[in-house]
Amino acid sequence: MKKIKVRKVGNSLGVILPKSSGVVEGMELDYQKQSSKIELTINETEREYDRREIEKGFDDFEKQNILTEDEFAKKFQKYGWHK
């Protein structure tokens, strides 16, 4: 098990997660405390985040600010999008 240091952020506490965790800036996580464990869940919140990104993409499309097919596949390949 890897260790993560808890840090003070304003009046709250926070942790820094490695990139390999799959968490990205702006993503909201569900959490649950179970006795001495804290469980973070990204499954549904990750889909919601990506859904918002896709919807934002429609706004970008109307402004002619679009992703190439390769860029889109790279960003959403975990959901089966590919060339």
Side-chain angles (χ1 to χ4, degrees), residues 3 12-13 17 29-30 32-36 45-47 53 55-56 60 65 68 72 75 81:
K3 294 186 183 286
S12 300
L13 299 173
L17 299 173
L29 305 175
D30 295 325
Q32 179 177 348
K33 185 173 188 298
Q34 297 176 345
S35 64
S36 65
T45 55
E46 186 172 359
R47 281 190 212 104
E53 289 294 305
E55 289 173 5
K56 218 167 54 175
D60 288 339
N65 182 18
T68 66
F72 191 86
K75 190 168 187 170
W81 292 91

Side-chain angles (χ1 to χ4, degrees), residues 26-57:
M27 185 181 287
E28 294 180 6
L29 305 175
D30 295 325
Y31 76 93
Q32 179 177 348
K33 185 173 188 298
Q34 297 176 345
S35 64
S36 65
K37 292 184 179 184
I38 296 176
E39 177 182 340
L40 298 175
T41 306
I42 62 174
N43 295 338
E44 185 56 34
T45 55
E46 186 172 359
R47 281 190 212 104
E48 289 173 17
Y49 173 80
D50 287 345
R51 209 172 284 128
R52 286 193 305 270
E53 289 294 305
I54 291 168
E55 289 173 5
K56 218 167 54 175

Side-chain angles (χ1 to χ4, degrees), residues 70-81:
D70 288 335
E71 292 167 331
F72 191 86
K74 183 178 178 183
K75 190 168 187 170
F76 297 104
Q77 66 187 351
K78 60 187 166 198
Y79 297 112
W81 292 91

